[in-house]
Amino acid sequence: MSDSSLQFEPLAVVGMACRFPGADNLDEFWSLLRDGRCALRELPADRLNPADHYSPEKGVIGRTYCNVAGTVTLRPIDPSICPLDPKLSFRYDIGHLTLCEVAAAACRHAGYDPFSLPIRNTGVYLGNSSGGSDLESRLAFHSYAREL
């Protein structure tokens, strides 16, 4: 396909939101960058139990020798941002709920209510790194360790 046959449609980025290690929102993220701070820290035991998964020696099967990472702070989901039936909330993975919160924050940053967008032809583009979900991380690590 040649460039001359492509049709270009206008695109507008009207809202942004984020949750990164060391920054729970855009203001904190810009502050982290401006100040040149590093968000890496020792892994908290509730994210990676060192007794189960850590060894200071490289090459130990089923163990990691790294105990430092950039992790996003886990916190309860705000029901005013993501109104979910409390009876069903235990069924949702915290990584997915966090993603919904950030998407809703991006809509609000643009001045829109995420539950009543004026245009149905709207996209919210997201990025998520592997391991953004506690469930995903536990399943992946245990599957990997069993294969070894």
Side-chain angles (χ1 to χ4, degrees):
M1 179 182 263
S2 69
D3 285 345
S4 62
S5 66
L6 293 177
Q7 291 184 342
F8 294 97
E9 297 292 327
L11 172 74
V13 176
V14 294
M16 297 188 320
C18 67
R19 182 129 354 126
F20 290 116
D24 278 350
N25 56 50
L26 281 173
D27 291 335
E28 290 179 13
F29 179 61
W30 291 124
S31 175
L32 182 76
L33 293 175
R34 181 192 64 234
D35 299 344
R37 289 182 284 123
C38 178
L40 296 178
R41 61 188 176 120
E42 187 170 324
L43 273 164
D46 64 336
R47 297 293 284 272
L48 184 75
N49 185 338
D52 294 338
H53 303 292
Y54 178 73
S55 171
E57 298 176 39
K58 288 184 181 182
V60 177
I61 295 175
R63 303 281 178 150
T64 179
Y65 63 90
C66 181
N67 64 349
V68 176
T71 59
V72 174
T73 304
L74 295 177
R75 63 174 189 243
I77 300 302
D78 183 344
S80 70
I81 296 173
C82 289
L84 300 168
D85 184 340
K87 291 181 270 182
L88 299 176
S89 63
F90 72 93
R91 301 172 110 184
Y92 300 107
D93 181 77
I94 190 69
H96 297 130
L97 293 175
T98 299
L99 188 122
C100 290
E101 261 195 0
V102 174
C107 290
R108 288 187 175 94
H109 182 257
Y112 294 107
D113 177 351
F115 300 103
S116 60
L117 293 171
I119 301 171
R120 302 303 301 164
N121 192 11
T122 302
V124 176
Y125 298 89
L126 305 160
N128 184 25
S129 67
S130 178
S133 155
D134 182 50
L135 176 63
E136 175 190 10
S137 298
R138 284 185 284 135
L139 292 174
F141 189 85
H142 290 293
S143 295
Y144 174 72
R146 274 196 307 271
E147 287 176 15
L148 297 174

mmCIF file with all atom_site columns, all heavy atoms in Angstrom, residues 13-38:
data_model
loop_
_atom_site.group_PDB
_atom_site.id
_atom_site.type_symbol
_atom_site.label_atom_id
_atom_site.label_alt_id
_atom_site.label_comp_id
_atom_site.label_asym_id
_atom_site.label_entity_id
_atom_site.label_seq_id
_atom_site.pdbx_PDB_ins_code
_atom_site.Cartn_x
_atom_site.Cartn_y
_atom_site.Cartn_z
_atom_site.occupancy
_atom_site.B_iso_or_equiv
_atom_site.pdbx_formal_charge
_atom_site.auth_seq_id
_atom_site.auth_comp_id
_atom_site.auth_asym_id
_atom_site.auth_atom_id
_atom_site.pdbx_PDB_model_num
ATOM 1   N N   . VAL A 1 13 ? -5.728  14.179 20.942 1.00 0.00 ? 13 VAL A N   1
ATOM 2   C CA  . VAL A 1 13 ? -5.504  13.666 22.293 1.00 0.00 ? 13 VAL A CA  1
ATOM 3   C C   . VAL A 1 13 ? -6.047  14.748 23.216 1.00 0.00 ? 13 VAL A C   1
ATOM 4   O O   . VAL A 1 13 ? -5.500  15.842 23.282 1.00 0.00 ? 13 VAL A O   1
ATOM 5   C CB  . VAL A 1 13 ? -4.015  13.403 22.569 1.00 0.00 ? 13 VAL A CB  1
ATOM 6   C CG1 . VAL A 1 13 ? -3.796  12.974 24.010 1.00 0.00 ? 13 VAL A CG1 1
ATOM 7   C CG2 . VAL A 1 13 ? -3.474  12.360 21.601 1.00 0.00 ? 13 VAL A CG2 1
ATOM 8   N N   . VAL A 1 14 ? -7.131  14.442 23.895 1.00 0.00 ? 14 VAL A N   1
ATOM 9   C CA  . VAL A 1 14 ? -7.792  15.467 24.696 1.00 0.00 ? 14 VAL A CA  1
ATOM 10  C C   . VAL A 1 14 ? -7.702  15.202 26.200 1.00 0.00 ? 14 VAL A C   1
ATOM 11  O O   . VAL A 1 14 ? -8.056  16.052 26.992 1.00 0.00 ? 14 VAL A O   1
ATOM 12  C CB  . VAL A 1 14 ? -9.272  15.633 24.278 1.00 0.00 ? 14 VAL A CB  1
ATOM 13  C CG1 . VAL A 1 14 ? -9.378  16.179 22.877 1.00 0.00 ? 14 VAL A CG1 1
ATOM 14  C CG2 . VAL A 1 14 ? -10.020 14.320 24.399 1.00 0.00 ? 14 VAL A CG2 1
ATOM 15  N N   . GLY A 1 15 ? -7.256  14.045 26.582 1.00 0.00 ? 15 GLY A N   1
ATOM 16  C CA  . GLY A 1 15 ? -7.136  13.741 28.000 1.00 0.00 ? 15 GLY A CA  1
ATOM 17  C C   . GLY A 1 15 ? -6.055  12.717 28.233 1.00 0.00 ? 15 GLY A C   1
ATOM 18  O O   . GLY A 1 15 ? -5.773  11.887 27.373 1.00 0.00 ? 15 GLY A O   1
ATOM 19  N N   . MET A 1 16 ? -5.409  12.807 29.381 1.00 0.00 ? 16 MET A N   1
ATOM 20  C CA  . MET A 1 16 ? -4.360  11.855 29.730 1.00 0.00 ? 16 MET A CA  1
ATOM 21  C C   . MET A 1 16 ? -4.494  11.486 31.203 1.00 0.00 ? 16 MET A C   1
ATOM 22  O O   . MET A 1 16 ? -5.012  12.257 32.000 1.00 0.00 ? 16 MET A O   1
ATOM 23  C CB  . MET A 1 16 ? -2.973  12.460 29.511 1.00 0.00 ? 16 MET A CB  1
ATOM 24  C CG  . MET A 1 16 ? -2.673  12.822 28.093 1.00 0.00 ? 16 MET A CG  1
ATOM 25  S SD  . MET A 1 16 ? -0.953  13.328 27.780 1.00 0.00 ? 16 MET A SD  1
ATOM 26  C CE  . MET A 1 16 ? -0.508  14.318 29.156 1.00 0.00 ? 16 MET A CE  1
ATOM 27  N N   . ALA A 1 17 ? -3.998  10.324 31.521 1.00 0.00 ? 17 ALA A N   1
ATOM 28  C CA  . ALA A 1 17 ? -3.928  9.882  32.912 1.00 0.00 ? 17 ALA A CA  1
ATOM 29  C C   . ALA A 1 17 ? -2.852  8.812  32.987 1.00 0.00 ? 17 ALA A C   1
ATOM 30  O O   . ALA A 1 17 ? -2.472  8.223  31.971 1.00 0.00 ? 17 ALA A O   1
ATOM 31  C CB  . ALA A 1 17 ? -5.267  9.324  33.381 1.00 0.00 ? 17 ALA A CB  1
ATOM 32  N N   . CYS A 1 18 ? -2.347  8.562  34.168 1.00 0.00 ? 18 CYS A N   1
ATOM 33  C CA  . CYS A 1 18 ? -1.309  7.536  34.308 1.00 0.00 ? 18 CYS A CA  1
ATOM 34  C C   . CYS A 1 18 ? -1.252  7.033  35.733 1.00 0.00 ? 18 CYS A C   1
ATOM 35  O O   . CYS A 1 18 ? -1.754  7.662  36.662 1.00 0.00 ? 18 CYS A O   1
ATOM 36  C CB  . CYS A 1 18 ? 0.052   8.085  33.896 1.00 0.00 ? 18 CYS A CB  1
ATOM 37  S SG  . CYS A 1 18 ? 0.685   9.374  34.988 1.00 0.00 ? 18 CYS A SG  1
ATOM 38  N N   . ARG A 1 19 ? -0.627  5.912  35.862 1.00 0.00 ? 19 ARG A N   1
ATOM 39  C CA  . ARG A 1 19 ? -0.249  5.361  37.158 1.00 0.00 ? 19 ARG A CA  1
ATOM 40  C C   . ARG A 1 19 ? 1.062   4.629  36.898 1.00 0.00 ? 19 ARG A C   1
ATOM 41  O O   . ARG A 1 19 ? 1.094   3.619  36.208 1.00 0.00 ? 19 ARG A O   1
ATOM 42  C CB  . ARG A 1 19 ? -1.320  4.420  37.690 1.00 0.00 ? 19 ARG A CB  1
ATOM 43  C CG  . ARG A 1 19 ? -0.972  3.876  39.025 1.00 0.00 ? 19 ARG A CG  1
ATOM 44  C CD  . ARG A 1 19 ? -1.979  3.954  40.145 1.00 0.00 ? 19 ARG A CD  1
ATOM 45  N NE  . ARG A 1 19 ? -3.198  4.665  39.941 1.00 0.00 ? 19 ARG A NE  1
ATOM 46  C CZ  . ARG A 1 19 ? -4.390  4.136  40.140 1.00 0.00 ? 19 ARG A CZ  1
ATOM 47  N NH1 . ARG A 1 19 ? -4.525  2.891  40.491 1.00 0.00 ? 19 ARG A NH1 1
ATOM 48  N NH2 . ARG A 1 19 ? -5.458  4.870  39.995 1.00 0.00 ? 19 ARG A NH2 1
ATOM 49  N N   . PHE A 1 20 ? 2.139   5.167  37.424 1.00 0.00 ? 20 PHE A N   1
ATOM 50  C CA  . PHE A 1 20 ? 3.471   4.607  37.236 1.00 0.00 ? 20 PHE A CA  1
ATOM 51  C C   . PHE A 1 20 ? 4.121   4.340  38.588 1.00 0.00 ? 20 PHE A C   1
ATOM 52  O O   . PHE A 1 20 ? 3.688   4.910  39.597 1.00 0.00 ? 20 PHE A O   1
ATOM 53  C CB  . PHE A 1 20 ? 4.370   5.596  36.469 1.00 0.00 ? 20 PHE A CB  1
ATOM 54  C CG  . PHE A 1 20 ? 4.015   5.791  35.035 1.00 0.00 ? 20 PHE A CG  1
ATOM 55  C CD1 . PHE A 1 20 ? 3.587   7.032  34.577 1.00 0.00 ? 20 PHE A CD1 1
ATOM 56  C CD2 . PHE A 1 20 ? 4.122   4.756  34.117 1.00 0.00 ? 20 PHE A CD2 1
ATOM 57  C CE1 . PHE A 1 20 ? 3.271   7.226  33.252 1.00 0.00 ? 20 PHE A CE1 1
ATOM 58  C CE2 . PHE A 1 20 ? 3.806   4.945  32.784 1.00 0.00 ? 20 PHE A CE2 1
ATOM 59  C CZ  . PHE A 1 20 ? 3.387   6.192  32.349 1.00 0.00 ? 20 PHE A CZ  1
ATOM 60  N N   . PRO A 1 21 ? 5.184   3.561  38.598 1.00 0.00 ? 21 PRO A N   1
ATOM 61  C CA  . PRO A 1 21 ? 5.944   3.446  39.848 1.00 0.00 ? 21 PRO A CA  1
ATOM 62  C C   . PRO A 1 21 ? 6.379   4.839  40.304 1.00 0.00 ? 21 PRO A C   1
ATOM 63  O O   . PRO A 1 21 ? 6.926   5.610  39.522 1.00 0.00 ? 21 PRO A O   1
ATOM 64  C CB  . PRO A 1 21 ? 7.148   2.591  39.459 1.00 0.00 ? 21 PRO A CB  1
ATOM 65  C CG  . PRO A 1 21 ? 6.642   1.761  38.314 1.00 0.00 ? 21 PRO A CG  1
ATOM 66  C CD  . PRO A 1 21 ? 5.723   2.685  37.554 1.00 0.00 ? 21 PRO A CD  1
ATOM 67  N N   . GLY A 1 22 ? 6.067   5.186  41.522 1.00 0.00 ? 22 GLY A N   1
ATOM 68  C CA  . GLY A 1 22 ? 6.450   6.480  42.068 1.00 0.00 ? 22 GLY A CA  1
ATOM 69  C C   . GLY A 1 22 ? 5.538   7.626  41.688 1.00 0.00 ? 22 GLY A C   1
ATOM 70  O O   . GLY A 1 22 ? 5.800   8.772  42.064 1.00 0.00 ? 22 GLY A O   1
ATOM 71  N N   . ALA A 1 23 ? 4.471   7.356  40.928 1.00 0.00 ? 23 ALA A N   1
ATOM 72  C CA  . ALA A 1 23 ? 3.578   8.431  40.491 1.00 0.00 ? 23 ALA A CA  1
ATOM 73  C C   . ALA A 1 23 ? 2.173   7.872  40.263 1.00 0.00 ? 23 ALA A C   1
ATOM 74  O O   . ALA A 1 23 ? 1.967   7.075  39.358 1.00 0.00 ? 23 ALA A O   1
ATOM 75  C CB  . ALA A 1 23 ? 4.106   9.062  39.210 1.00 0.00 ? 23 ALA A CB  1
ATOM 76  N N   . ASP A 1 24 ? 1.233   8.317  41.086 1.00 0.00 ? 24 ASP A N   1
ATOM 77  C CA  . ASP A 1 24 ? -0.147  7.838  40.972 1.00 0.00 ? 24 ASP A CA  1
ATOM 78  C C   . ASP A 1 24 ? -0.997  8.658  40.010 1.00 0.00 ? 24 ASP A C   1
ATOM 79  O O   . ASP A 1 24 ? -2.144  8.312  39.759 1.00 0.00 ? 24 ASP A O   1
ATOM 80  C CB  . ASP A 1 24 ? -0.821  7.830  42.343 1.00 0.00 ? 24 ASP A CB  1
ATOM 81  C CG  . ASP A 1 24 ? -0.486  6.589  43.147 1.00 0.00 ? 24 ASP A CG  1
ATOM 82  O OD1 . ASP A 1 24 ? 0.111   5.651  42.589 1.00 0.00 ? 24 ASP A OD1 1
ATOM 83  O OD2 . ASP A 1 24 ? -0.831  6.555  44.339 1.00 0.00 ? 24 ASP A OD2 1
ATOM 84  N N   . ASN A 1 25 ? -0.454  9.771  39.491 1.00 0.00 ? 25 ASN A N   1
ATOM 85  C CA  . ASN A 1 25 ? -1.220  10.602 38.568 1.00 0.00 ? 25 ASN A CA  1
ATOM 86  C C   . ASN A 1 25 ? -0.262  11.445 37.733 1.00 0.00 ? 25 ASN A C   1
ATOM 87  O O   . ASN A 1 25 ? 0.961   11.379 37.924 1.00 0.00 ? 25 ASN A O   1
ATOM 88  C CB  . ASN A 1 25 ? -2.222  11.475 39.337 1.00 0.00 ? 25 ASN A CB  1
ATOM 89  C CG  . ASN A 1 25 ? -1.540  12.331 40.386 1.00 0.00 ? 25 ASN A CG  1
ATOM 90  O OD1 . ASN A 1 25 ? -0.559  13.012 40.112 1.00 0.00 ? 25 ASN A OD1 1
ATOM 91  N ND2 . ASN A 1 25 ? -2.056  12.294 41.610 1.00 0.00 ? 25 ASN A ND2 1
ATOM 92  N N   . LEU A 1 26 ? -0.814  12.249 36.819 1.00 0.00 ? 26 LEU A N   1
ATOM 93  C CA  . LEU A 1 26 ? 0.029   13.053 35.923 1.00 0.00 ? 26 LEU A CA  1
ATOM 94  C C   . LEU A 1 26 ? 0.913   14.040 36.671 1.00 0.00 ? 26 LEU A C   1
ATOM 95  O O   . LEU A 1 26 ? 2.094   14.181 36.352 1.00 0.00 ? 26 LEU A O   1
ATOM 96  C CB  . LEU A 1 26 ? -0.846  13.822 34.927 1.00 0.00 ? 26 LEU A CB  1
ATOM 97  C CG  . LEU A 1 26 ? -1.379  13.036 33.750 1.00 0.00 ? 26 LEU A CG  1
ATOM 98  C CD1 . LEU A 1 26 ? -2.371  13.875 32.946 1.00 0.00 ? 26 LEU A CD1 1
ATOM 99  C CD2 . LEU A 1 26 ? -0.254  12.557 32.848 1.00 0.00 ? 26 LEU A CD2 1
ATOM 100 N N   . ASP A 1 27 ? 0.350   14.740 37.651 1.00 0.00 ? 27 ASP A N   1
ATOM 101 C CA  . ASP A 1 27 ? 1.156   15.717 38.396 1.00 0.00 ? 27 ASP A CA  1
ATOM 102 C C   . ASP A 1 27 ? 2.350   15.062 39.082 1.00 0.00 ? 27 ASP A C   1
ATOM 103 O O   . ASP A 1 27 ? 3.468   15.576 39.039 1.00 0.00 ? 27 ASP A O   1
ATOM 104 C CB  . ASP A 1 27 ? 0.302   16.454 39.427 1.00 0.00 ? 27 ASP A CB  1
ATOM 105 C CG  . ASP A 1 27 ? -0.712  17.391 38.782 1.00 0.00 ? 27 ASP A CG  1
ATOM 106 O OD1 . ASP A 1 27 ? -0.474  17.841 37.637 1.00 0.00 ? 27 ASP A OD1 1
ATOM 107 O OD2 . ASP A 1 27 ? -1.738  17.667 39.422 1.00 0.00 ? 27 ASP A OD2 1
ATOM 108 N N   . GLU A 1 28 ? 2.112   13.914 39.709 1.00 0.00 ? 28 GLU A N   1
ATOM 109 C CA  . GLU A 1 28 ? 3.202   13.201 40.374 1.00 0.00 ? 28 GLU A CA  1
ATOM 110 C C   . GLU A 1 28 ? 4.218   12.678 39.360 1.00 0.00 ? 28 GLU A C   1
ATOM 111 O O   . GLU A 1 28 ? 5.416   12.647 39.637 1.00 0.00 ? 28 GLU A O   1
ATOM 112 C CB  . GLU A 1 28 ? 2.653   12.058 41.214 1.00 0.00 ? 28 GLU A CB  1
ATOM 113 C CG  . GLU A 1 28 ? 1.894   12.526 42.438 1.00 0.00 ? 28 GLU A CG  1
ATOM 114 C CD  . GLU A 1 28 ? 1.332   11.371 43.260 1.00 0.00 ? 28 GLU A CD  1
ATOM 115 O OE1 . GLU A 1 28 ? 1.723   10.209 43.031 1.00 0.00 ? 28 GLU A OE1 1
ATOM 116 O OE2 . GLU A 1 28 ? 0.488   11.645 44.137 1.00 0.00 ? 28 GLU A OE2 1
ATOM 117 N N   . PHE A 1 29 ? 3.742   12.266 38.186 1.00 0.00 ? 29 PHE A N   1
ATOM 118 C CA  . PHE A 1 29 ? 4.653   11.774 37.151 1.00 0.00 ? 29 PHE A CA  1
ATOM 119 C C   . PHE A 1 29 ? 5.574   12.900 36.653 1.00 0.00 ? 29 PHE A C   1
ATOM 120 O O   . PHE A 1 29 ? 6.786   12.709 36.556 1.00 0.00 ? 29 PHE A O   1
ATOM 121 C CB  . PHE A 1 29 ? 3.858   11.181 35.989 1.00 0.00 ? 29 PHE A CB  1
ATOM 122 C CG  . PHE A 1 29 ? 4.717   10.679 34.861 1.00 0.00 ? 29 PHE A CG  1
ATOM 123 C CD1 . PHE A 1 29 ? 5.646   9.668  35.065 1.00 0.00 ? 29 PHE A CD1 1
ATOM 124 C CD2 . PHE A 1 29 ? 4.593   11.213 33.590 1.00 0.00 ? 29 PHE A CD2 1
ATOM 125 C CE1 . PHE A 1 29 ? 6.435   9.194  34.031 1.00 0.00 ? 29 PHE A CE1 1
ATOM 126 C CE2 . PHE A 1 29 ? 5.375   10.742 32.548 1.00 0.00 ? 29 PHE A CE2 1
ATOM 127 C CZ  . PHE A 1 29 ? 6.302   9.742  32.772 1.00 0.00 ? 29 PHE A CZ  1
ATOM 128 N N   . TRP A 1 30 ? 4.995   14.072 36.360 1.00 0.00 ? 30 TRP A N   1
ATOM 129 C CA  . TRP A 1 30 ? 5.829   15.185 35.889 1.00 0.00 ? 30 TRP A CA  1
ATOM 130 C C   . TRP A 1 30 ? 6.808   15.606 36.984 1.00 0.00 ? 30 TRP A C   1
ATOM 131 O O   . TRP A 1 30 ? 7.959   15.953 36.690 1.00 0.00 ? 30 TRP A O   1
ATOM 132 C CB  . TRP A 1 30 ? 4.968   16.361 35.446 1.00 0.00 ? 30 TRP A CB  1
ATOM 133 C CG  . TRP A 1 30 ? 4.201   16.071 34.183 1.00 0.00 ? 30 TRP A CG  1
ATOM 134 C CD1 . TRP A 1 30 ? 2.853   16.162 34.010 1.00 0.00 ? 30 TRP A CD1 1
ATOM 135 C CD2 . TRP A 1 30 ? 4.734   15.620 32.932 1.00 0.00 ? 30 TRP A CD2 1
ATOM 136 N NE1 . TRP A 1 30 ? 2.517   15.787 32.732 1.00 0.00 ? 30 TRP A NE1 1
ATOM 137 C CE2 . TRP A 1 30 ? 3.644   15.449 32.039 1.00 0.00 ? 30 TRP A CE2 1
ATOM 138 C CE3 . TRP A 1 30 ? 6.016   15.329 32.467 1.00 0.00 ? 30 TRP A CE3 1
ATOM 139 C CZ2 . TRP A 1 30 ? 3.800   15.019 30.732 1.00 0.00 ? 30 TRP A CZ2 1
ATOM 140 C CZ3 . TRP A 1 30 ? 6.162   14.891 31.157 1.00 0.00 ? 30 TRP A CZ3 1
ATOM 141 C CH2 . TRP A 1 30 ? 5.076   14.748 30.317 1.00 0.00 ? 30 TRP A CH2 1
ATOM 142 N N   . SER A 1 31 ? 6.380   15.567 38.225 1.00 0.00 ? 31 SER A N   1
ATOM 143 C CA  . SER A 1 31 ? 7.263   15.901 39.340 1.00 0.00 ? 31 SER A CA  1
ATOM 144 C C   . SER A 1 31 ? 8.422   14.904 39.426 1.00 0.00 ? 31 SER A C   1
ATOM 145 O O   . SER A 1 31 ? 9.582   15.295 39.640 1.00 0.00 ? 31 SER A O   1
ATOM 146 C CB  . SER A 1 31 ? 6.456   15.912 40.641 1.00 0.00 ? 31 SER A CB  1
ATOM 147 O OG  . SER A 1 31 ? 7.286   16.121 41.740 1.00 0.00 ? 31 SER A OG  1
ATOM 148 N N   . LEU A 1 32 ? 8.122   13.629 39.263 1.00 0.00 ? 32 LEU A N   1
ATOM 149 C CA  . LEU A 1 32 ? 9.155   12.582 39.287 1.00 0.00 ? 32 LEU A CA  1
ATOM 150 C C   . LEU A 1 32 ? 10.193  12.850 38.194 1.00 0.00 ? 32 LEU A C   1
ATOM 151 O O   . LEU A 1 32 ? 11.406  12.801 38.440 1.00 0.00 ? 32 LEU A O   1
ATOM 152 C CB  . LEU A 1 32 ? 8.494   11.217 39.075 1.00 0.00 ? 32 LEU A CB  1
ATOM 153 C CG  . LEU A 1 32 ? 9.380   9.990  39.112 1.00 0.00 ? 32 LEU A CG  1
ATOM 154 C CD1 . LEU A 1 32 ? 9.755   9.640  40.543 1.00 0.00 ? 32 LEU A CD1 1
ATOM 155 C CD2 . LEU A 1 32 ? 8.662   8.814  38.473 1.00 0.00 ? 32 LEU A CD2 1
ATOM 156 N N   . LEU A 1 33 ? 9.709   13.169 36.980 1.00 0.00 ? 33 LEU A N   1
ATOM 157 C CA  . LEU A 1 33 ? 10.623  13.453 35.871 1.00 0.00 ? 33 LEU A CA  1
ATOM 158 C C   . LEU A 1 33 ? 11.410  14.737 36.105 1.00 0.00 ? 33 LEU A C   1
ATOM 159 O O   . LEU A 1 33 ? 12.635  14.775 35.927 1.00 0.00 ? 33 LEU A O   1
ATOM 160 C CB  . LEU A 1 33 ? 9.840   13.570 34.560 1.00 0.00 ? 33 LEU A CB  1
ATOM 161 C CG  . LEU A 1 33 ? 9.181   12.302 34.044 1.00 0.00 ? 33 LEU A CG  1
ATOM 162 C CD1 . LEU A 1 33 ? 8.339   12.609 32.814 1.00 0.00 ? 33 LEU A CD1 1
ATOM 163 C CD2 . LEU A 1 33 ? 10.208  11.233 33.742 1.00 0.00 ? 33 LEU A CD2 1
ATOM 164 N N   . ARG A 1 34 ? 10.709  15.803 36.503 1.00 0.00 ? 34 ARG A N   1
ATOM 165 C CA  . ARG A 1 34 ? 11.345  17.103 36.704 1.00 0.00 ? 34 ARG A CA  1
ATOM 166 C C   . ARG A 1 34 ? 12.446  17.029 37.757 1.00 0.00 ? 34 ARG A C   1
ATOM 167 O O   . ARG A 1 34 ? 13.523  17.590 37.593 1.00 0.00 ? 34 ARG A O   1
ATOM 168 C CB  . ARG A 1 34 ? 10.291  18.133 37.120 1.00 0.00 ? 34 ARG A CB  1
ATOM 169 C CG  . ARG A 1 34 ? 10.856  19.537 37.324 1.00 0.00 ? 34 ARG A CG  1
ATOM 170 C CD  . ARG A 1 34 ? 9.871   20.480 38.006 1.00 0.00 ? 34 ARG A CD  1
ATOM 171 N NE  . ARG A 1 34 ? 9.600   19.987 39.355 1.00 0.00 ? 34 ARG A NE  1
ATOM 172 C CZ  . ARG A 1 34 ? 8.383   19.749 39.843 1.00 0.00 ? 34 ARG A CZ  1
ATOM 173 N NH1 . ARG A 1 34 ? 7.316   19.958 39.134 1.00 0.00 ? 34 ARG A NH1 1
ATOM 174 N NH2 . ARG A 1 34 ? 8.238   19.303 41.072 1.00 0.00 ? 34 ARG A NH2 1
ATOM 175 N N   . ASP A 1 35 ? 12.168  16.298 38.838 1.00 0.00 ? 35 ASP A N   1
ATOM 176 C CA  . ASP A 1 35 ? 13.120  16.211 39.947 1.00 0.00 ? 35 ASP A CA  1
ATOM 177 C C   . ASP A 1 35 ? 14.201  15.158 39.719 1.00 0.00 ? 35 ASP A C   1
ATOM 178 O O   . ASP A 1 35 ? 15.121  15.038 40.524 1.00 0.00 ? 35 ASP A O   1
ATOM 179 C CB  . ASP A 1 35 ? 12.383  15.900 41.250 1.00 0.00 ? 35 ASP A CB  1
ATOM 180 C CG  . ASP A 1 35 ? 11.385  16.986 41.621 1.00 0.00 ? 35 ASP A CG  1
ATOM 181 O OD1 . ASP A 1 35 ? 11.459  18.103 41.063 1.00 0.00 ? 35 ASP A OD1 1
ATOM 182 O OD2 . ASP A 1 35 ? 10.508  16.709 42.474 1.00 0.00 ? 35 ASP A OD2 1
ATOM 183 N N   . GLY A 1 36 ? 14.071  14.372 38.647 1.00 0.00 ? 36 GLY A N   1
ATOM 184 C CA  . GLY A 1 36 ? 15.064  13.346 38.342 1.00 0.00 ? 36 GLY A CA  1
ATOM 185 C C   . GLY A 1 36 ? 15.108  12.224 39.370 1.00 0.00 ? 36 GLY A C   1
ATOM 186 O O   . GLY A 1 36 ? 16.147  11.600 39.580 1.00 0.00 ? 36 GLY A O   1
ATOM 187 N N   . ARG A 1 37 ? 13.965  11.960 40.016 1.00 0.00 ? 37 ARG A N   1
ATOM 188 C CA  . ARG A 1 37 ? 13.924  10.907 41.028 1.00 0.00 ? 37 ARG A CA  1
ATOM 189 C C   . ARG A 1 37 ? 13.791  9.531  40.383 1.00 0.00 ? 37 ARG A C   1
ATOM 190 O O   . ARG A 1 37 ? 13.266  9.387  39.302 1.00 0.00 ? 37 ARG A O   1
ATOM 191 C CB  . ARG A 1 37 ? 12.748  11.127 41.991 1.00 0.00 ? 37 ARG A CB  1
ATOM 192 C CG  . ARG A 1 37 ? 12.973  12.312 42.911 1.00 0.00 ? 37 ARG A CG  1
ATOM 193 C CD  . ARG A 1 37 ? 11.837  12.509 43.891 1.00 0.00 ? 37 ARG A CD  1
ATOM 194 N NE  . ARG A 1 37 ? 10.686  13.111 43.188 1.00 0.00 ? 37 ARG A NE  1
ATOM 195 C CZ  . ARG A 1 37 ? 9.477   12.576 43.143 1.00 0.00 ? 37 ARG A CZ  1
ATOM 196 N NH1 . ARG A 1 37 ? 9.220   11.439 43.744 1.00 0.00 ? 37 ARG A NH1 1
ATOM 197 N NH2 . ARG A 1 37 ? 8.502   13.188 42.501 1.00 0.00 ? 37 ARG A NH2 1
ATOM 198 N N   . CYS A 1 38 ? 14.251  8.533  41.093 1.00 0.00 ? 38 CYS A N   1
ATOM 199 C CA  . CYS A 1 38 ? 14.156  7.138  40.658 1.00 0.00 ? 38 CYS A CA  1
ATOM 200 C C   . CYS A 1 38 ? 13.047  6.465  41.455 1.00 0.00 ? 38 CYS A C   1
ATOM 201 O O   . CYS A 1 38 ? 12.977  6.621  42.677 1.00 0.00 ? 38 CYS A O   1
ATOM 202 C CB  . CYS A 1 38 ? 15.480  6.420  40.903 1.00 0.00 ? 38 CYS A CB  1
ATOM 203 S SG  . CYS A 1 38 ? 15.433  4.675  40.452 1.00 0.00 ? 38 CYS A SG  1
#
